[in-house]
Structure formats: structure tokens, C-alpha cells
Amino acid sequence: SQQGEEDPQALSIQEGENATMNCSYKTSINNLQWYRQNSGRGLVHLILIRSNEREKHSGRLRVTLDTSKKSSSLLITASRAADTASYFCATVLMDSSYKLIFGSGTRLLVRP
Amino acid sequence: NAGVTQTPKFQVLKTGQSMTLQCAQDMNHEYMSWYRQDPGMGLRLIHYSVGAGITDQGEVPNGYNVSRSTTEDFPLRLLSAAPSQTSVYFCASSRDRGAQYFGPGTRLTVT
């Protein structure tokens, strides 16, 4: 089964609103990453948060990590139509491998 | 830099045929990996490599082979294609346990 699971599976908001996506995982991690995928395209890395960090910002993105609850959230503030995409969390485990295990994703639709 | 390149972009195979999906990166990254993405789902790891000559299995390795003879190239071989292997295949690379850089994908259909 997949390490990460995202919630909600789909989200529809109005332009200008904030979008929050959540990710839960099962085993201890080295870091957690968020990616965006536009329809029919490859994935683009957005932000990485390490297991000893609690919050990280990048432009309109804010990521939090709660290792006690094994969960993370991605907040996109002041959303734009161009933010319409699928968003995936992915975890790198604490073992010696470099494996990146993806969640099932959240499909975000930002209505103009 | 071209980043991560994948060829072909599209491929149609008949059941039982074999083929190789090519992946190359020009960023001198040690870590490379192959994923498949089925409709409406996330990516599942097929095989990965932490350096030339070193490969290991991911979550769904059956039916696929890989080798890594150079840092730049990481081809994925389908031994005997099956309809269940119809998917979009992505190759990715990274320097360490950080951000992975993805190729544009290969859309494979097996009839």
C-alpha cells in the first residue's frame, strides 16, 4: 500500500481563496516533499520539509509537518487559475535508500 | 542543461513484445528512478538506482528490468509487454534525498 495518502481527493475553489491539502503517512521519514502535476505533464518539485522542521514557506506555499501525527499539509494562499493541477506528497524514508514514495494526490480546480 | 529526457513520448506495443524506454540526465545526479502512473493515481516506484552499477527494486518491479552502466543513462526494459503495463512512465533523477527532477513521460499502450 502507498506510504502517503492525500485528503481531499479533489478540491474546487474560487480564485483568490486559499487551498489546503493534507497528507498522512505510515512510517518514519527523512523528509516529505510536495509536487505539482499539470494535466498530461511531468511532476514539478514545489517544496521539501525535513523531519526536524515544522513549517516551511515558499512564495504562496506554506507546508507544515507533524511527525507525531505522521501528517503534513500544503496551503496555497490567494489561489490563481494557473494553480489548477494535481498535487502529490511524497516521502523519503529513514532507511538507507533514496526511494521516494508518492501519495495518491489531490486534484485542485481553481475557478476564475 | 536539458534536464531529464525520455524517449519515446508515445509507444504502442502488442502483447508479448519487448521494448526499452530510454532515460537520460545531464545533471550528474547519482540517484535515478522509474515510476508508472495509472489514470487518476499517484506514481508507483518500479526500480531505482543510487549510482552506476547499482540498482534495486521499488514497489512494482515485476515485468521490468533496469541497468545503470553510466551516471547519465537509466533505461527501463519491458520483457514481455502485457495490457496491465499500459501506463504513463516517468523517469526522475536527484543528487541526494532532495528534490527529484522528472522527465516529460512516455505514454505506453499495450494491446
Side-chain angles (χ1 to χ4, degrees):
Chain A
S1 61
Q2 290 183 302
Q3 159 80 325
E5 294 298 329
E6 272 117 307
D7 171 59
Q9 290 187 334
L11 181 61
S12 178
I13 60 173
Q14 202 72 32
E15 204 165 26
E17 293 179 338
N18 295 342
T20 299
M21 289 159 260
N22 303 296
C23 169
S24 60
Y25 57 92
K26 298 175 183 173
T27 58
S28 295
I29 61 171
N30 176 283
N31 67 69
L32 185 144
Q33 303 175 29
W34 285 90
Y35 288 80
R36 183 185 73 224
Q37 183 180 35
N38 290 91
S39 182
R41 309 290 292 274
L43 278 74
V44 174
H45 180 263
L46 295 176
I47 196 165
L48 179 153
I49 186 164
R50 302 190 190 283
S51 59
N52 60 354
E53 297 175 313
R54 291 296 167 259
E55 187 170 313
K56 211 158 179 186
H57 296 255
S58 176
R60 292 183 296 112
L61 305 180
R62 173 178 169 253
V63 169
T64 61
L65 178 65
D66 187 335
T67 53
S68 66
K69 294 182 180 176
K70 291 187 168 59
S71 68
S72 173
S73 67
L74 170 68
L75 169 67
I76 304 174
T77 59
S79 63
R80 305 165 182 169
D83 294 328
T84 294
S86 290
Y87 292 82
F88 295 92
C89 72
T91 53
V92 176
L93 303 183
M94 283 294 288
D95 62 18
S96 59
S97 77
Y98 283 37
K99 290 188 291 188
L100 192 65
I101 306 298
F102 280 82
S104 51
T106 293
R107 294 187 307 280
L108 174 65
L109 172 65
V110 181
R111 304 186 305 274
Chain B
N1 286 356
V4 178
T5 57
Q6 292 183 236
T7 55
K9 284 188 169 55
F10 301 93
Q11 183 70 50
V12 178
L13 290 178
K14 292 190 189 321
T15 297
Q17 289 184 318
S18 62
M19 79 159 294
T20 299
L21 279 63
Q22 301 292 344
C23 174
Q25 52 92 8
D26 61 0
M27 296 173 282
N28 202 32
H29 285 168
E30 289 298 320
Y31 181 80
M32 296 185 74
S33 54
W34 276 102
Y35 298 88
R36 61 176 288 174
Q37 184 177 32
D38 298 314
M41 295 182 66
L43 278 70
R44 290 184 291 169
L45 182 65
I46 304 171
H47 285 286
Y48 66 99
S49 169
V50 298
I54 307 170
T55 63
D56 205 347
Q57 297 181 349
E59 302 169 274
V60 289
N62 292 342
Y64 308 94
N65 269 0
V66 292
S67 59
R68 183 100 179 268
S69 56
T70 67
T71 299
E72 294 78 20
D73 300 299
F74 191 42
L76 178 72
R77 281 183 291 278
L78 278 71
L79 309 173
S80 177
S84 60
Q85 293 178 305
T86 293
S87 190
V88 181
Y89 291 83
F90 290 100
C91 178
S93 74
S94 67
R95 183 174 25 249
D96 48 28
R97 291 182 176 187
Q100 292 203 4
Y101 295 82
F102 281 81
T106 294
R107 192 172 297 271
L108 175 69
T109 301
V110 182
T111 61

